[in-house]
Amino acid sequence: MQELMSSGIGKRLATRKLIAASSLDWSCFEGSDIEHLVLCLDANGHPSATLQNAFPLIAVAFSDEGEADLRERLKLLGSLGTVPPISVQRLDPAGTSDSFALLRTLVEGGIGRLARYSASITSELAILRREREALLENYRALEDAFQARNWEPVSEIFSHDPHADPKDEGIGQLLATAFVEQLLPVSSLGVAGFALHLHAVPRSSGELVVTLSYLESGEGVAEWAVPYAQLVPSWNYFSLPRACGGGARTLRLRISATGPDAVGLSLGYPIAGERYSARSEFAHPDLDLRPLAFKVFTGLPGVKPAATPNMIGPSSLLEGQYTVDYRLGVDTLSQIADVSVTPIVPEFQTVRFLEHEHAIVCHPLPTGISAGAVARAVEPGTISFSANAIIDHPQGQPAAVSFLLAPANSNARSEVAELARKGVVKPSAFFSGWREVGSAQAININIQLDEPVRGPMDLMILSRAVTDSVDFSWLKVSGFRLVKQSTEAADVR
């Protein structure tokens, strides 16, 4: 067994020439135990274009003639650019046995292992190169198969045609004050883009903002913020950088708009199911079992779709971001504190929590601001806040309501006093602005932030009088809804 192993090792070593020598000194190496390691450079010829199974690490000479010839051969060898410069060692012919033992230990020891490692890397690199060539050839074959079968790289798989009902009021104003959502009735796998139909495009400044996300996780896919100048009163095509891959999920479009004039987003024909009807946070008669007018296109999952004229690319990719809705629980709202700033001392409680209605009451007074503060109600990452407000009495006088977000370490009463005194809040706070509310219909108040808040914040609910009387002006605020963004897995609620 040992003989077989020694024979195998010897054969492998014999295939690697690690010592360079001149043919003039070959008689000194011939018959020695390192003969199989020596690369003999012919004094009468030129080196070949490549060195087969050779990587000389050291050059050895035993005579003046051999050393001179070896240096000339090494200059020619260096012109190949395959090996680094090699040092020449002069040895005494009288002590060849000791010198050969030292050389063998040198080249078969650490340097030999390094050479074998380098050779293995070269071999693996050649294998990878062959695999890469085979992969590219497979891609060519796949492209040829697509062309042979006339398969389109992007194809339309679903469409809702636009339909104008004479009773339509138009949802343009709804886009400016809130948003419209639409679920796509196709699997996300392979979706490469979609189209929206507009029947009217304003000439004024403004943008149409479209967000595409996954319904199940809330994970964002992409967002388009398109100026009105780039839109046309017809089909407008929105493309993804790559067709959706991974598991099959449900895609959700959310559309809103900015600017002084309303954009004419078209609706489709009425459908029977509510799930795939367009919806909004506000009730609107046009959205009664009506979807948006849209088309969906698919391609190869994970592959960039082919260029299509008038395609609008995304403004930003939201991959890895999750949008999570959360609400204020009873334990949080029940901790509301009165931080009113007014010279009047009322005989009744102006700020309180209605547990059975999950609502806050904030009764205005003739002068000053009535305010309630909920400490640390707003979580880090929050991007928007909304709630409903109404005067909860048929004879109640109208009032003004607003929301204020301030850092959790601030003094809530001081924040309200700043607003009462100057009419503006501190730079670290966010103010919704005053909205008048009566008893006839509830209103929705929103705070939309430019970027997510970095730390927890206090929520303050404010009210004030708008007439000389505040009789029965029981302002009730409910339906608290907050939205935050996260890069971690979403807890879909």
Side-chain angles (χ1 to χ4, degrees), residues 52 82 99 109 124 165 169 190 246 273 314 319 341 366 375 382 419 468 471:
Q52 184 176 5
T82 57
S99 299
E124 292 175 2
D165 192 303
E169 299 177 4
E319 186 175 358
V341 177
T382 298
L419 177 62
D468 295 337
D471 293 345

Side-chain angles (χ1 to χ4, degrees), residues 156-218:
E156 179 184 323
I157 64 165
F158 187 87
S159 176
H160 264 312
D161 293 331
H163 171 64
D165 192 303
K167 301 187 296 296
D168 284 349
E169 299 177 4
I171 59 174
Q173 195 59 40
L174 187 62
L175 295 175
T177 57
F179 57 84
V180 173
E181 286 185 347
Q182 172 72 61
L183 298 184
L184 302 188
V186 298
S187 164
S188 65
L189 186 62
V191 170
F194 56 92
L196 296 174
H197 190 275
L198 302 178
H199 60 79
V201 178
R203 294 185 178 180
S204 59
S205 61
E207 288 183 334
L208 185 70
V209 181
V210 183
T211 303
L212 184 67
S213 61
Y214 293 115
L215 176 67
E216 290 79 4
S217 64

Side-chain angles (χ1 to χ4, degrees), residues 289-461:
L289 296 180
R290 296 276 300 278
L292 296 178
F294 66 92
K295 298 179 180 181
V296 182
F297 302 88
T298 59
L300 289 176
V303 177
K304 181 180 179 180
T308 304
N310 302 321
M311 273 283 188
I312 302 172
S315 305
S316 60
L317 297 179
L318 306 178
E319 186 175 358
Q321 289 187 3
Y322 297 84
T323 301
V324 183
D325 294 352
Y326 68 99
R327 298 183 183 275
L328 303 183
V330 174
D331 294 340
T332 301
L333 291 177
S334 61
Q335 302 302 315
I336 190 166
D338 191 338
V339 292
S340 302
V341 177
T342 174
I344 300 174
V345 180
E347 298 179 354
F348 54 89
Q349 187 177 1
T350 57
V351 177
R352 68 180 188 274
F353 172 57
L354 302 178
E355 182 175 355
H356 62 288
E357 297 187 46
H358 206 76
I360 297 292
V361 168
C362 186
H363 196 295
L365 297 174
T367 59
I369 296 178
S370 298
V374 183
R376 306 179 73 87
V378 180
E379 300 178 8
T382 298
I383 194 72
S384 68
F385 168 86
S386 66
N388 301 321
I390 192 172
I391 299 297
D392 195 28
H393 194 284
Q395 301 178 9
Q397 298 298 312
V401 60
S402 64
F403 297 119
L404 192 154
L405 306 182
N409 58 355
S410 61
N411 184 294
R413 196 179 298 274
S414 173
E415 297 284 347
V416 177
E418 181 83 4
L419 177 62
R421 183 173 60 256
K422 298 182 179 180
V424 295
V425 298
K426 297 178 181 178
S428 59
F430 301 97
F431 181 53
S432 67
W434 293 103
R435 289 277 303 279
E436 185 172 337
V437 58
S439 59
Q441 185 178 6
I443 64 170
N444 184 275
I445 306 173
N446 292 273
I447 294 181
Q448 302 290 336
L449 307 179
D450 292 334
E451 57 184 20
V453 298
R454 297 182 179 180
M457 304 194 80
D458 296 342
L459 167 65
M460 280 162 266
I461 303 166

Side-chain angles (χ1 to χ4, degrees), residues 25 53 306 361 483:
D25 291 330
N53 297 325
V361 168
V483 179

